[in-house]
Amino acid sequence: MNIFVCIKSVPVSDAIIKITPDCQHIERTNLKYDLNPYDEYAIEAAVQLKEQFGGNVLAISLTDEIASVSLRRVLAMGADKLIQLMLPAVGLNDSQAVAQLLAQEIRQNPFDLILLGKQAIDTGSEAVGPLIARLLDLPFITAVTNLSVQEQTVIATKEFDGYQAVYEGPLPVVITTEKGLNKPRYPSLKDIMLAKKKEIISKNVALPQETCQIIHLQPPPTRPAGRILGEGPAAVPELVRILKEAGTI
Amino acid sequence: MDILVYTIANKGALTKASAEALTLGYQLATNNSGTLISLAIGDNLSNAAAECGQYGAQKVYVAEHESLKYFQLESYLDIFDQVLARQHPYLILFPLEPSTRDIAAALAAKKNAPIINDCIGLSIDDSRIIAWRAVYGGKVHAQINIPQLPAFITMRANSVALAANPVQAEIVKIDVPTPLAATILKLKAINPTVTTRPSLTEARIIVAGGRGIKSPENYRLIEQLADSLGAATGASRSIVDAGWVSQVHQVGQTGKTVAPDLYIACGISGAMQHLAGISSAKCIVAINIDAEAPIFRVANYGIIGDLFEVIPALIEELRRHA
């Protein structure tokens, strides 16, 4: 089975994000990047399917010089090859433009399944997976918490408010992965050494026309200074009084 | 220029997030001499359809059939196609939930149209359409220019102040083919998840627990406080990663970003990725034994103390005031 996994390198979740003075970008100096957490579930699912059925796991990323460094971890996790589509600078790009670039590259290779994290934690847009699917004319299932493949058929579970739905369909299909799908592996030292021999292909690409653009970044509104009501249970009546008075409860 | 709002019903009633999307759609439509159109797909929709008129929808499309009770993308898209063949809205708004992300993206893909998920604001100034989103898990707010129409936009719950704008609504029933056209993906099974609590992203009040609860059994305390307030239950990343509670409860950059009226953080120290995820909460209450915990820097009200003493006292106090 040939599996494509679309991945992204993003600022780590505990990074402090500073906005540039022109309010157009974020300061990237000393910003720490890592593999998007949701992509780890996609890679792990792909490697498990490869272990079950054989085949290849191809990781592909739209990235840039600074961010791409943390992508190599997927090779140690079991991906066979990494394709880096290099932009001059990657950022909060339009989902449509991103999906077009990824779909263009994927389409040139044989594949049975495409996996992605359900969202990148920087943009948080959750649209690229479905868009790639539609560009390639494939069905998609987003945010899956359970996934299996049996004889060319995919079975995947997605959570809704009040129910879980189990969908079934033939390969190829696009799946985006939710936390809880699996437990991503920690590569051993041997895996890390072996990964050094794996192929990394870098191609320069240009972003197509964006359907919408970010024109201004700003910090969220600051919260007014809070008040410590007191210590222990003695402070509880005052809290309840305040919340009742404000109509919050 | 018309606006179409997709609405969702839960147990026959319009969801709050749907009413918010209608409220927003009505404001934008009337300010720009357009009309508000709505669409509902599912089962048991008659009450919800009537409610759409209360929020300003002049034309209410309804595709009602028991075979549409559970979400199936292709069948829902067929209904959308019928409506979009008759109406030409320049904005299509959705309340954000697991099904609407899929619908919005699939429709946007077809037209290579802008798709903007999880918006916290949307305005039209001088015929320029501007959306606001939280990025980097809520650490930054981004203003987005939408030069190309139509645009498909999903709205985060609790981002719009509800306002009723009753109008005379025309209900238009859409014919649902029976059986539904065959789709590549089949709905193989439905497993109801039994919960009496509201969903995290829609809840008006959330009670969340972190490491301070010390062991998985003690999450019961969080649930008890939540139930005394009719609240949803949330959790910090650390207790989800430790396997104490399911990931569906996780709040923060790698969980759900929430915007409730009241967020009560119990034994949550306040890692940055968690604080980013609750930054839109209208009121934050922190209960923590550590007076230096970062959560107190963002909390509107704080109680320094042992949550095992404070929470039971709080439940008791709420009971006395009930």
Side-chain angles (χ1 to χ4, degrees), chain B residues 54-113:
Chain B
Q54 293 303 304
Y55 291 99
Q58 290 183 18
K59 198 177 255 188
V60 176
Y61 284 96
V62 179
E64 191 173 22
H65 195 272
E66 58 183 11
S67 62
L68 295 169
K69 181 173 181 185
Y70 298 107
F71 177 61
Q72 289 178 82
L73 179 65
E74 299 300 332
S75 311
Y76 277 42
L77 289 176
D78 287 346
I79 308 278
F80 256 95
D81 283 346
Q82 284 193 49
V83 173
L84 293 176
R86 286 193 243 176
Q87 303 285 343
H88 303 282
Y90 66 105
L91 280 179
I92 299 94
L93 306 183
F94 302 80
L96 182 67
E97 69 109 80
S99 66
T100 54
R101 280 196 187 91
D102 290 2
I103 302 172
L107 292 170
K110 202 186 247 184
K111 296 175 188 289
N112 187 28

Side-chain angles (χ1 to χ4, degrees), chain A residues 15-246:
Chain A
I16 295 169
I17 305 287
K18 288 193 194 124
I19 299 165
T20 54
D22 66 2
C23 299
Q24 299 293 306
H25 302 282
I26 59 163
E27 300 279 8
R28 298 184 71 192
T29 334
N30 299 325
L31 189 57
K32 213 172 127 205
Y33 280 77
D34 199 359
L35 184 61
N36 176 44
Y38 290 103
D39 299 347
E40 293 186 4
Y41 308 112
I43 288 283
E44 179 61 34
V47 173
Q48 284 182 16
L49 288 170
K50 181 193 158 173
E51 286 166 352
Q52 196 182 346
F53 298 104
N56 274 295
V57 175
L58 277 175
I60 178 166
S61 185
L62 182 64
T63 188
D64 66 14
E65 209 60 53
I66 297 175
S68 63
V69 179
S70 61
L71 295 173
R72 285 166 212 168
R73 187 149 69 84
V74 302
L75 297 174
M77 288 179 74
D80 297 286
K81 189 160 111 177
L82 171 62
I83 303 173
Q84 301 179 152
L85 305 179
M86 304 295 271
L87 286 173
V90 75
L92 302 168
N93 303 108
D94 173 31
S95 304
Q96 288 278 16
V98 172
Q100 275 179 38
L101 283 175
L102 291 168
Q104 240 168 51
E105 182 65 29
I106 292 171
R107 159 181 296 139
Q108 294 168 29
N109 302 269
F111 64 86
D112 304 291
L113 178 65
I114 300 172
L115 292 166
L116 309 84
K118 74 155 182 175
Q119 70 182 137
I121 62 164
D122 53 355
T123 52
S125 70
E126 293 193 49
V128 171
L131 293 175
I132 290 178
R134 298 311 263 203
L135 285 168
L136 298 172
D137 218 5
L138 297 175
F140 66 86
I141 311 169
T142 54
V144 312
T145 51
N146 210 323
L147 174 68
S148 64
V149 177
Q150 292 162 11
E151 293 170 10
Q152 300 296 304
T153 299
V154 174
I155 300 164
T157 306
K158 174 175 162 88
E159 309 269 344
F160 291 87
D161 284 344
Y163 66 96
Q164 284 184 331
V166 184
Y167 296 99
E168 182 182 75
L171 293 171
V173 49
V174 177
I175 300 276
T176 77
T177 54
E178 172 67 284
K179 184 170 185 163
L181 173 64
N182 52 39
K183 228 173 145 24
R185 65 192 67 190
Y186 288 105
S188 66
L189 194 60
K190 190 177 149 220
D191 295 330
I192 294 168
M193 296 311 288
L194 280 172
K196 296 198 166 149
K197 296 197 181 97
K198 290 182 179 173
E199 189 180 7
I200 299 176
I201 298 170
S202 289
K203 298 179 180 180
N204 291 327
V205 293
L207 205 64
Q209 172 81 41
E210 295 191 287
T211 61
C212 55
Q213 301 94 20
I214 288 182
I215 50 175
H216 181 83
L217 297 177
Q218 67 184 50
T222 48
R223 302 189 67 88
R227 192 146 71 86
I228 299 291
L229 300 177
E231 292 188 17
V236 165
E238 175 67 353
L239 174 66
V240 172
R241 192 191 63 76
I242 292 170
L243 295 177
K244 283 262 178 204
E245 208 170 277

Side-chain angles (χ1 to χ4, degrees), chain B residues 6-81:
Chain B
Y6 176 74
T7 60
I8 290 170
N10 186 6
K11 297 192 183 83
L14 193 68
T15 64
K16 180 166 171 270
S18 300
E20 289 169 1
L22 287 168
T23 301
L24 175 67
Y26 179 81
Q27 285 160 5
L28 296 176
T30 44
N31 289 342
N32 295 279
S33 42
T35 54
L36 177 64
I37 303 158
S38 72
L39 166 62
I41 304 174
D43 188 24
N44 183 16
L45 295 175
S46 40
N47 290 339
E51 276 183 84
C52 290
Q54 293 303 304
Y55 291 99
Q58 290 183 18
K59 198 177 255 188
V60 176
Y61 284 96
V62 179
E64 191 173 22
H65 195 272
E66 58 183 11
S67 62
L68 295 169
K69 181 173 181 185
Y70 298 107
F71 177 61
Q72 289 178 82
L73 179 65
E74 299 300 332
S75 311
Y76 277 42
L77 289 176
D78 287 346
I79 308 278
F80 256 95
D81 283 346

Side-chain angles (χ1 to χ4, degrees), chain B residues 52-276:
Chain B
C52 290
Q54 293 303 304
Y55 291 99
Q58 290 183 18
K59 198 177 255 188
V60 176
Y61 284 96
V62 179
E64 191 173 22
H65 195 272
E66 58 183 11
S67 62
L68 295 169
K69 181 173 181 185
Y70 298 107
F71 177 61
Q72 289 178 82
L73 179 65
E74 299 300 332
S75 311
Y76 277 42
L77 289 176
D78 287 346
I79 308 278
F80 256 95
D81 283 346
Q82 284 193 49
V83 173
L84 293 176
R86 286 193 243 176
Q87 303 285 343
H88 303 282
Y90 66 105
L91 280 179
I92 299 94
L93 306 183
F94 302 80
L96 182 67
E97 69 109 80
S99 66
T100 54
R101 280 196 187 91
D102 290 2
I103 302 172
L107 292 170
K110 202 186 247 184
K111 296 175 188 289
N112 187 28
I115 159 88
I116 305 170
N117 273 330
D118 204 13
C119 287
I120 52 175
L122 183 64
S123 63
I124 306 178
D125 306 311
D126 284 338
S127 67
R128 214 160 70 122
I129 302 178
I130 300 288
W132 284 93
R133 293 188 70 231
V135 292
Y136 299 104
K139 292 170 200 163
V140 175
H141 284 186
Q143 190 180 14
I144 300 161
N145 180 33
I146 309 169
Q148 185 186 328
L149 299 172
F152 295 83
I153 290 169
T154 65
M155 295 297 302
R156 177 180 295 179
N158 300 322
S159 301
V160 179
L162 273 188
N165 299 288
V167 294
Q168 192 69 38
E170 178 198 353
I171 309 268
V172 185
K173 298 247 177 208
I174 297 171
D175 291 332
V176 178
T178 47
L180 297 173
T183 55
I184 301 179
L185 288 180
K186 305 261 185 288
L187 195 54
K188 186 181 153 76
I190 291 290
N191 307 316
T193 42
V194 186
T195 171
T196 48
R197 300 188 186 99
S199 83
L200 205 47
T201 43
E202 277 221 355
R204 217 177 59 75
I205 304 177
I206 295 170
V207 179
R211 278 279 176 193
I213 66 168
K214 292 190 178 145
S215 73
E217 314 82 75
N218 295 331
Y219 194 70
R220 234 187 23 231
L221 207 52
I222 302 296
E223 293 173 334
Q224 283 164 1
L225 177 56
D227 290 343
S228 66
L229 288 161
T233 52
S236 72
R237 181 170 72 188
S238 62
I239 70 166
V240 170
D241 286 351
W244 294 4
V245 274
S246 149
Q247 52 84 18
V248 299
H249 299 290
Q250 189 181 328
V251 173
Q253 192 169 6
T254 51
K256 295 194 173 71
T257 306
V258 295
D261 290 347
L262 175 62
Y263 187 86
I264 305 181
C266 309
I268 293 177
S269 62
M272 194 170 357
Q273 60 84 21
H274 190 84
L275 299 184

